[in-house]
Amino acid sequence: GQLLDFLAYFQAFVKDRSMYYIVGNIVEPLTALDRLSFAELAGPGTLDWFVSHFWGHAFGDFCSSIQKHAHALRSASCATGSLWRRRSARCLASSALLDLLVQQQPA
């Protein structure tokens, strides 16, 4: 899944930092050279869910919230869609992420 892969890959830098740090120090440098949006870098996906959040919260906490949401959706047997994070509607997760998140969720 893209969201957890992103967190795992950059965990040494992310630590308990917020989206303000991530966007300024990771996302913008990754996308600047080719003048891409993060959505273009991450690849296309279909949107069924849009997740808006406060950038001041720790990114790890945001990921944890998404995991809990995905688990709740799977428990209700209604999760089939993508999760989006607000920043010009940049896609961070696909339905495959929901499967990954539920697999990683403690019982």
Side-chain angles (χ1 to χ4, degrees):
Q2 293 171 316
L3 183 64
L4 292 181
D5 289 347
F6 182 92
L7 178 61
Y9 188 83
F10 291 106
Q11 185 61 53
F13 302 101
V14 172
K15 300 179 183 175
D16 62 352
R17 293 179 168 125
S18 72
M19 284 302 300
Y20 292 110
Y21 174 86
I22 291 168
V23 169
N25 294 281
I26 299 174
V27 173
E28 288 176 351
L30 284 173
T31 59
L33 183 62
D34 294 320
R35 303 180 82 187
L36 299 172
S37 69
F38 187 77
E40 291 170 308
L41 185 66
T46 302
L47 173 65
D48 292 308
W49 291 92
F50 178 85
V51 179
S52 182
H53 66 97
F54 172 57
W55 277 28
H57 291 144
F59 183 65
D61 291 346
F62 170 71
C63 292
S64 177
S65 295
I66 296 300
Q67 282 184 308
K68 290 175 185 176
H69 177 71
H71 183 69
L73 291 174
R74 282 289 187 227
S75 295
S77 299
C78 65
T80 58
S82 298
L83 301 172
W84 282 62
R85 181 191 57 77
R86 186 180 183 117
R87 169 92 175 157
S88 303
R90 294 178 178 168
C91 182
L92 285 182
S94 66
S95 58
L97 173 62
L98 292 174
D99 294 328
L100 177 64
L101 292 174
V102 171
Q103 290 170 7
Q104 294 180 354
Q105 186 75 20

